[in-house]
Amino acid sequence: MFWNPFITLDVLEQPSVKGSALELNADLSHWCCVCERLFNPATEPRDAFWPETLAQVASRAAFIHCRVGWAQGPQVSDPAAPEFAKELRGHLD
């Protein structure tokens, strides 16, 4: 049900869910893969939804799966590798 950020935000904004005790596993790296990009509302107008989505998920996160995702997969092979510097910075900012 929560396989992408757009559907997730829609579900979390439903009146029947807003007051519920629903908890999420925040594995946001999958969304990078599904949407084939990192989210950057500061430079990408299409990502204006991201701060609200992240806030909604954060308020319900019972677990945070700390991986660095990228456009081609849910996890980079080595977050310290120079070729993944952009992805690492995108997750930390």
Side-chain angles (χ1 to χ4, degrees), residues 7-88:
I7 291 174
T8 300
L9 184 59
D10 287 345
V11 170
L12 294 179
E13 290 181 337
Q14 294 299 312
S16 60
V17 174
K18 279 192 173 199
S20 75
L22 176 71
E23 292 181 331
L24 301 174
N25 172 2
D27 190 359
L28 307 179
S29 65
H30 278 280
W31 290 350
C32 298
C33 181
V34 168
C35 295
E36 297 184 334
R37 68 180 194 274
L38 295 175
F39 305 110
N40 189 348
T43 61
E44 292 286 338
R46 68 183 177 172
D47 292 340
F49 73 94
W50 184 240
E52 175 63 19
T53 302
L54 189 57
Q56 291 271 359
V57 170
S59 72
R60 294 179 171 273
F63 180 79
I64 299 172
H65 196 153
C66 296
R67 300 193 288 181
V68 175
W70 63 307
Q72 300 303 313
Q75 182 172 331
V76 300
S77 57
D78 180 1
E83 60 267 28
F84 295 119
K86 176 183 169 191
E87 286 78 7
L88 180 60

